[in-house]
Amino acid sequence: MTSSARPSTLTPQRQPGLLSGALTCGVLGALLLAAGGVLPAVGDAHPGYSSALPLIVLALLPAAAAVFAVAGKRPTLAAGVLAGAAVLAPGRLLLDLQLLVDLSNAARPELHVPTQLEAGTPGVGLWLLLAGHVLTAAAGIAAVQFTRREAEAEGTDLPGGPRLVVLAIGLTVVAGVGLVMAPFESADPYLPARNAFESPWPVLTGGLLLAFAMPLGAALAFGSGLRAAARGSVLGLAFAVLAVAVPNLIAGFAVKDAGVSAGPVVAIVAALGLAALAIARQEGTQLNEDPDVAEEAKLPGRRRLELATGVLAVLTAAAAVLGGLTAQVTSSSPAIDAPKSPAALLLVVAGILLGVLGLAMLLPGIGETLRPALSVAWVVVPLAGTAVLDTVLTASRFGGVLSPGAGVTWTSVALFAAVVTGICSAVAGMVERENDDGRRPASSATTPVVAAGVLAVAAFVVPVVTAPDYDPPTLITGFGASWWGAVIAVVAVLVALGLALYSRPMRAFALLLGVFLVLVLRAAEFPLVGGELDGSAIGIGLWLSIAAAIATGIAAGFVTRAAEEKP
């Protein structure tokens, strides 16, 4: 009784202020987004259709839902809506930033349809849009803090069941695929209609943030421990997806020389599915149910999650292999040969590596041991896949003769599937930690783990292979699609090394195994990529990758010693 009374005394003092701040930022952000959609975004902007009404409605939806939830005495639901809508705010900000960076490459007919190649000057509407996204993100941060304190003060009631968790994450992945596809079809030379991978860096980065943030946001929402917060977050995600996709769908119908593409349709269908999950009855509960008396639900069983992770890894591997073996670029002229990505074979090897781990996950007894390795090793597909996409982005600069081939589609599918595999493995890890026996690896593993981290970062800073007219993917060069692959790999490696120092011995060993595989693939760039390049030479990154892999192996040896010790 004492432990439950103490948090309740803190709640009235702290919670209303956090929720009020989140709601205020959310409402102001929505109003700014609505005004930015009406006022000129660039100079004397002329929208391609009458977009004011849909833009206003889409901008106000999340804030209106949060206000109604608060009025109905559902503060946790309101916080969830604001947090879910904020997940897409950084990506949407970058999409709008394209209007400022290069108007001629901005596909935003709801705001402006250029009639000639022009630089354009930012209008008041653009600044309102950018400010609106910032306030939306701030509202989400405050809402997350509110939700955390609610969970600490009132306890948790884990939302939904296995099907809800998996279905919500799956729908966010589908929505992400739709948002990175071409927003519409266009025969207007001044109105580009390209997918995210063929677009300039603000659209590419913004599209990737949208696609990758949604599954992560859905997973974190269900990790909050509160049913109302999770369902509100799913609803907020749905609203945010609609705000991006609906204007593009309307443009396909309403703008001259434009047509409807599959991208916004896929995203809208997924968003409607998310909204249905948020408002539907689940396990005997309703949306207006008091979360304090909600019936407890359970996350999926550990073995089922391991099997799902293994299946996803195998499917990811199949897509990666197809992406590497099929043509990434096609040529419409017999006089011009379509280039082949030098990283195609690297992607095939990455797919095979991930596929072997996925198949091992399906074996009883082995899956539990190798699951943490897969939580790291999934990044081999983004590491190799983004290098393949760099070739496509370079070829697209030459105009209509060279165009993306089937390999781009399969590589894109592999990238998204890899992210889902990593998320599913992470959720399985959350279930495993509930039964943690408290054993930790030997402290003597700290030195080799730290050495491995330093060497791993260095291995991604300098190139593994060098060649004339070749821009190798590193952390300090390129800044294209392959730069993102390197960043994702380094972050995953460092997080895994850090967790290995605070994990049970066998789990730490598996994490280090995953790190070792990532570093081996990094070193394999020399024989696999260098063999496709004329005049290739060894870069210092090869030796650093090998040294980091050796240090990781030594650390794995130390943690296995701890597994033999009695707790």
Side-chain angles (χ1 to χ4, degrees), residues 181-212:
M181 295 172 67
F184 45 81
E185 296 179 357
S186 175
D188 186 345
Y190 299 113
L191 183 62
R194 297 186 290 259
N195 62 50
F197 299 105
E198 300 174 280
S199 301
W201 70 264
V203 178
L204 170 62
T205 308
L208 291 177
L209 280 178
L210 293 178
F212 291 157

Side-chain angles (χ1 to χ4, degrees), residues 536-554:
S536 61
I538 295 177
I540 192 173
L542 173 64
W543 309 118
L544 290 172
S545 299
I546 294 175
I550 293 174
T552 304
I554 294 174

Side-chain angles (χ1 to χ4, degrees), residues 434-480:
E434 294 179 359
N435 301 319
D436 197 339
D437 61 9
R439 298 174 68 186
R440 298 292 179 263
S443 58
S444 56
T446 302
T447 299
V449 166
V450 172
V454 174
L455 290 170
V457 172
F460 282 92
V461 168
V462 294
V464 171
V465 57
T466 61
D469 301 324
Y470 175 64
D471 188 12
T474 70
L475 293 177
I476 58 175
T477 59
F479 301 105

